[in-house]
Amino acid sequence: MPPRRKPASTLRKPDRFPEENVATGWDARHLLGHTEFEEYHFINCDFGGADLSRLRFSECLFERCNLAAAKLAGTALQNVAFADCKLLGLQFTACRDMLFGVHFDQCQLRYASFAGRTMPGTRFVGCHLEDADFADADLANAVFQECALAGAVFQNTRLPGVDFTTATGFIIDPETNPLQGAKFTLHGLLGVVAKFGLVVE
C-alpha cells in the first residue's frame, strides 16, 4: 500500500518584522539594487506596474499597497500576505513554484490569474475575485470567506474541501472540477448545478 500523503499544513501568516524592515510609502525605485526581501512589512507602497521579476519575497506583509499590473515573472512569493491591497490583473501564474504561499485579506484581485498554481489551504478573506482565473490550479482545502467570485474561471481546478459557504457569484461545473468535501450553502449550490438547467424552488 502506498504511504498516505500528509495534508499540507497551512502557513502561518507573517506578523513579526524587524523595525528596520518596515517600509512605508515606497515606490519601485526603492527596490532597485535588491534581489530579496525577508521579513519586510510594506505599508502604503505604490508598486503599480512595477517590474518585480525574479525578486524574492519571504515572510513579508504588504498592507494598503498598490501592485496593480506589476510584473511577476519568476518572482518568489514565499509565505507572503496581502492586506487591503490593489492586485488587479496580477499574473501569479508567472511566479516561481518553489515554496509559493500567499494569504489575501480585503484585496482587489479582479482579473488576477492563478492558473496552474498549487496553493492548497490558501485563505481569501473579503476579496473581490471577479473574473479571476483558477483554471488547472490546486486549491484543495482553500477558503473563500465572503469573497465575490462572479465570472471567476474554475476549469480542471482541484477543489476538494474548499469552503465556499460565504462566497457569492461563482459558477462551478462539477463534471470538470473535483469537489469532494467542498462546503456550500444551499443557495450556493445553485452555482454548481447551473449547467444542468434545474429549477430549485
Side-chain angles (χ1 to χ4, degrees):
M1 220 168 119
R4 286 181 62 181
R5 281 176 58 192
K6 276 170 54 181
S9 58
T10 305
L11 291 168
R12 190 169 164 276
K13 214 185 297 186
D15 57 6
R16 291 206 181 97
F17 311 96
E19 210 172 304
E20 66 273 17
N21 288 1
V22 177
T24 305
W26 280 20
D27 61 25
R29 289 170 299 186
H30 292 89
L31 304 177
L32 295 173
H34 294 273
T35 56
E36 49 188 68
F37 297 88
E38 192 155 341
E39 295 183 345
Y40 266 75
H41 187 182
F42 298 95
I43 305 169
N44 291 322
C45 295
D46 186 0
F47 301 131
D51 188 354
L52 308 180
S53 299
R54 289 172 292 287
L55 295 181
R56 184 174 82 88
F57 297 91
S58 175
E59 304 292 328
C60 293
L61 169 61
F62 289 84
E63 192 173 357
R64 298 188 302 280
C65 294
N66 174 28
L67 291 95
K71 293 175 186 65
L72 298 177
T75 305
L77 297 178
Q78 300 172 345
N79 199 26
V80 175
F82 298 89
D84 198 16
C85 289
K86 278 187 189 161
L87 308 170
L88 305 170
L90 281 200
Q91 298 295 308
F92 292 97
T93 298
C95 288
R96 213 180 301 170
D97 289 330
M98 195 171 138
L99 302 177
F100 180 83
V102 284
H103 313 259
F104 299 100
D105 288 278
Q106 311 295 328
C107 289
Q108 302 282 342
L109 281 152
R110 289 184 180 95
Y111 305 108
S113 177
F114 298 93
R117 289 251 65 107
T118 297
M119 44 197 296
T122 300
R123 292 183 66 85
F124 297 86
V125 179
C127 293
H128 285 275
L129 284 152
E130 292 91 346
D131 298 298
D133 186 358
F134 294 102
D136 301 305
D138 182 352
L139 293 169
N141 301 306
V143 175
F144 289 96
Q145 184 180 327
E146 295 176 358
C147 290
L149 286 160
V153 176
F154 294 98
Q155 192 159 5
N156 301 318
T157 309
R158 291 200 71 248
L159 299 170
V162 174
D163 189 343
F164 287 104
T165 51
T166 57
T168 57
F170 54 85
I171 293 180
I172 299 168
D173 183 346
E175 294 186 312
T176 60
N177 299 283
L179 282 166
Q180 301 89 332
K183 303 175 189 76
F184 298 93
T185 60
L186 200 52
H187 182 74
L189 269 179
L190 296 176
V192 179
V193 299
K195 71 169 279 185
F196 301 115
L198 302 178
V199 178
V200 181
E201 293 182 354

